[in-house]
Amino acid sequence: MEIDPFIFRLSIFILSIFVGYYVVWSVTPSLHTPLMSVTNAISSVIIVGAIIASLAGDSKDIFNTANIFGYLAIILAAVNIFGGFLVTQRMLAMYKKKKKDK
Amino acid sequence: MSANLLAIFYLISGILFILALRGLSSPETSRQGNLFGVIGMVIAIGVTILSIGNFSTGLLYLLIFLLIGGSLGAFIAFKIPMTAMPELVAGFHSLVGLAAVLVAISAFLNPEVFNLGVLGNIKIASLIEMSLGASIGAITFTGSIIAFLKLRGIMSGNPIIFIAQHYVNLFLGLSVAALIFYLCKTQLDSLFWLIIALSFLLGILLIIPIGGADMPVVISMLNSYSGWAAAGIGFTLENTALIITGALVGSSGAILSYIMCKGMNRSFFSVILGGFGGTDQKSSVKSKEQKPVKSGNADDAAFLMKNASSVIIVPGYGMAVAQAQHALKEMVDTLKKNDIKVSYAIHPVAGRMPGHMNVLLAEANVPYDEVFELEEINNDFAKADVAFVIGANDVTNPVAKTDPQSPIYGMPILDVEKCKSVLFVKRSLSPGYAGIDNDLFYKENTLMLFSDAKKMTEDISKALN
């Protein structure tokens, strides 16, 4: 008897929910805003789907309907990836500790 | 590249994303965490392109579009003022949602390239996964747009309520479920479009009844949705990185929503059902209007603070609106020069998104170890001489502890009233977002400072010098 690969993916999914649960509870409340912007950035890894949609398939016909949806998704996800990581970086750079020499 | 190797790379980028979140457990490790996130993303994008191995003009277009979106994103990231973070995040959520919808559509139209079968005969499991991903993505998209418009002030923060609203939403939700069922049976593409259209509508209807004060919950909830949408697409594409990320983001958003609800002592469902937090709501104010209030000016406030030995600052959304964080920091610096101990107290739901106040204070160069959460600092109010409330209101209202009739009864509050004296910067006596009068205004030891938050703090700084 063979296990459906779906079950493996489901296992990864459920285990990741648990990982997420414990990791996020350990995030300090003062960093909750950067947490939101970085989760937003990483969820844009959905761009891999957009890349497959736009690159795979018939290479002579690069502007068929499915490809166009892929290209659009690439633009949207790219805004998010760059915007999300950079704005997180910008925020995190502002968090400073008290200077000792006071 | 073999499929197995590819899967391992996706797993690595998934792990890097976990480390990115892990880094946020303290500000020192957070910057490194963000870098892990970036590396994870580069790996995921890189190996996907390599695995397809199609280096035709299509790749050129891909890079161009990547660059267009990327520079737009970078531009926004550098330009956006920190006070506008809530609407920025809402806007970004909408993009993830729409991207999920678009990927689902292209997978539906061109299933061969994703190994999902052929058009008109897509694997049932894939159909379910992609329609769930598309539906949640569509809800995230329109819901986030509404949240964005409300946060931006383009749309009123008042809840929009109509008759049988919740039944309409329930009906729409059930229809989407039924349509997914029929889509699996018939493979009709019109059903797929209908699912997306109804989900767009559902997203709008879900968010319009929710008032401005509940936005921290909404924005966390949409964060969570965008994660589930990504996970749905991850299952469709059989992509581990996407599944891991979706689960992480989904649970992260859910936890944040929970923390926000707890901060307001409201159940998640009462927030979702909405109708709370409008500015036109009035509760039993009646006779209270005439109570005497002590008001003062910047000199009075400066005098009080100069003679204090410890001051606790309580910032709220009003500080963000008035952009008063830098002026506040200057005032605090002057106080410190006079050897006055200053700390900041942040309520979990201060501002319009989780952690909003912390970012603004960090922007104004306030060291993060002077900023405390509610549980950490609440006992200190009794020992402090002056509480300086700037732009906060409901989160300091003692009614939450004393009046079971009050809509905010049971909400954890900052015990500002225990301070020897309270300085309350506010533009007028008008009630806060919950629409209730604040007893604190009428307390013997409260001095109201009626002014714009920024102007008042600047004036106090001048008076202190």
Side-chain angles (χ1 to χ4, degrees):
Chain A
M1 228 168 62
E2 218 181 317
I3 302 172
D4 191 324
F6 172 78
I7 300 298
F8 286 120
R9 285 190 285 275
L10 190 67
S11 319
I12 294 172
F13 179 62
I14 292 174
L15 289 176
S16 304
I17 292 178
F18 277 92
V19 172
Y21 179 85
Y22 289 108
V23 168
V24 171
W25 272 117
S26 75
V27 171
T28 162
S30 68
L31 291 176
H32 275 162
T33 298
L35 171 68
M36 295 194 93
S37 62
V38 85
T39 50
N40 186 68
I42 63 172
S43 54
S44 311
V45 73
I46 202 158
I47 197 170
V48 299
I51 294 173
I52 299 172
S54 53
L55 272 194
D58 193 356
S59 53
K60 282 176 201 88
D61 182 17
I62 49 170
F63 276 109
N64 69 32
T65 331
N67 284 16
I68 289 172
F69 281 115
Y71 287 134
L72 279 176
I74 286 178
I75 298 181
L76 297 180
V79 172
N80 247 321
I81 292 172
F82 283 75
F85 281 123
L86 286 172
V87 88
T88 311
Q89 188 63 38
R90 207 181 126 201
M91 275 192 276
L92 293 177
M94 298 185 313
Y95 281 82
K96 289 185 195 86
K97 229 181 169 153
K98 207 184 318 196
K99 282 190 209 92
K100 286 263 161 67
D101 52 2
K102 269 205 169 171
Chain B
M1 199 183 295
S2 83
N4 288 335
L5 189 60
L6 188 63
I8 291 191
F9 275 116
Y10 284 138
L11 182 63
I12 292 172
S13 66
I15 291 168
L16 286 167
F17 292 151
I18 295 176
L19 293 176
L21 299 196
R22 181 75 188 98
L24 291 172
S25 57
S26 99
E28 281 108 84
T29 53
S30 61
R31 285 170 275 258
Q32 190 192 26
N34 199 40
L35 188 65
F36 282 139
V38 175
I39 298 172
M41 188 63 74
V42 171
I43 292 178
I45 295 176
V47 296
T48 309
I49 294 177
L50 287 178
S51 74
I52 300 171
N54 174 358
F55 301 109
S56 63
T57 34
L59 183 65
L60 190 67
Y61 283 111
L62 184 149
L63 293 175
I64 291 172
F65 289 126
L66 194 69
L67 216 63
I68 294 175
S71 33
L72 191 62
F75 178 77
I76 297 171
F78 285 117
K79 281 281 162 202
I80 192 92
M82 283 299 143
T83 40
M85 276 315 291
E87 51 261 47
L88 177 77
V89 168
F92 277 171
H93 286 157
S94 74
L95 298 183
V96 177
L98 190 57
V101 175
L102 294 174
V103 172
I105 291 176
S106 47
F108 184 79
L109 292 178
N110 201 358
E112 289 97 340
V113 302
F114 293 96
N115 287 324
L116 308 173
V118 290
L119 187 58
N121 189 18
I122 300 173
K123 284 185 273 180
I124 299 294
S126 308
L127 261 187
I128 298 175
E129 290 153 5
M130 76 172 74
S131 29
L132 276 179
S135 167
I136 303 173
I139 292 173
T140 313
F141 173 61
T142 50
S144 302
I145 297 246
I146 300 292
F148 174 84
L149 294 175
K150 285 194 172 196
L151 287 164
R152 190 90 210 154
I154 298 170
M155 204 172 136
S156 150
N158 288 340
I160 299 171
I161 299 165
F162 54 88
I163 307 161
Q165 191 164 23
H166 304 313
Y167 295 103
V168 172
N169 291 348
L170 188 67
F171 174 76
L172 279 175
L174 292 175
S175 311
V176 170
L179 284 171
I180 293 177
F181 179 75
Y182 282 109
L183 176 68
C184 293
K185 283 187 98 170
T186 60
Q187 305 257 352
L188 277 177
D189 58 346
S190 55
L191 293 180
F192 186 70
W193 303 120
L194 197 56
I195 290 171
I196 294 177
L198 287 185
S199 304
F200 277 141
L201 186 62
L202 188 57
I204 297 174
L205 292 178
L206 276 177
I207 307 301
I208 53 169
I210 304 180
D214 284 342
M215 276 303 151
V217 182
V218 171
I219 202 165
S220 322
M221 186 182 83
L222 291 167
N223 186 232
S224 180
Y225 284 3
S226 68
W228 304 131
I233 304 295
F235 275 102
T236 319
L237 306 184
E238 310 185 342
N239 183 311
T240 334
L242 206 41
I243 294 177
I244 295 178
T245 315
L248 287 180
V249 178
S251 54
S252 157
I255 291 172
L256 289 177
S257 321
Y258 169 79
I259 295 174
M260 293 301 111
C261 287
K262 213 172 126 235
M264 294 192 284
N265 189 40
R266 305 195 45 213
S267 79
F268 186 65
F269 279 102
S270 77
V271 174
I272 299 308
L273 294 178
F276 185 82
T279 37
D280 48 349
Q281 278 185 338
K282 278 274 180 286
S283 56
S284 55
V285 199
K286 289 166 264 164
S287 58
K288 285 183 178 171
E289 300 283 9
Q290 296 305 317
K291 278 204 262 173
V293 168
K294 277 199 292 186
S295 81
N297 58 26
D299 294 325
D300 303 330
F303 177 78
L304 260 174
M305 285 203 266
K306 223 169 191 169
N307 290 306
S309 60
S310 68
V311 174
I312 299 179
I313 315 259
V314 181
Y317 184 58
M319 181 189 82
V321 174
Q323 304 257 17
Q325 64 270 32
H326 299 281
L328 182 68
K329 172 70 162 60
E330 261 171 53
M331 186 190 90
V332 170
D333 284 345
T334 323
L335 287 175
K336 280 191 191 154
K337 262 182 234 152
N338 292 308
D339 281 329
I340 299 164
K341 187 175 166 282
V342 185
S343 37
Y344 298 80
I346 311 238
H347 191 275
V349 294
R352 283 292 177 271
M353 76 184 295
H356 192 187
M357 289 302 125
N358 303 79
V359 170
L360 294 181
L361 292 177
E363 188 198 10
N365 280 322
V366 173
Y368 61 82
D369 37 10
E370 284 175 14
V371 182
F372 297 95
E373 305 301 316
L374 182 129
E375 298 88 33
E376 296 172 321
I377 202 169
N378 230 1
N379 292 328
D380 296 353
F381 280 107
K383 286 173 270 169
D385 296 310
V386 175
F388 186 74
V389 183
I390 173 165
N393 186 359
D394 292 333
V395 298
T396 63
N397 195 341
V399 151
K401 283 193 282 192
T402 54
D403 180 9
Q405 303 299 317
S406 165
I408 61 167
Y409 181 69
M411 173 169 122
I413 60 157
L414 291 162
D415 294 329
V416 171
E417 85 273 10
K418 289 188 181 153
C419 263
K420 288 198 194 77
S421 43
V422 178
L423 294 168
F424 211 112
V425 186
K426 209 168 176 311
R427 256 176 293 191
S428 69
L429 270 186
S430 64
Y433 265 92
I436 29 179
D437 211 23
N438 193 340
D439 273 356
L440 203 56
F441 300 164
Y442 314 105
K443 285 257 156 84
E444 189 61 26
N445 57 354
T446 304
L447 189 65
M448 299 298 294
L449 306 167
F450 292 113
S451 168
D452 173 72
K454 188 176 178 187
K455 191 173 172 303
M456 179 53 76
T457 26
E458 283 167 354
D459 289 350
I460 296 176
S461 295
K462 266 182 229 149
L464 279 170
N465 281 321

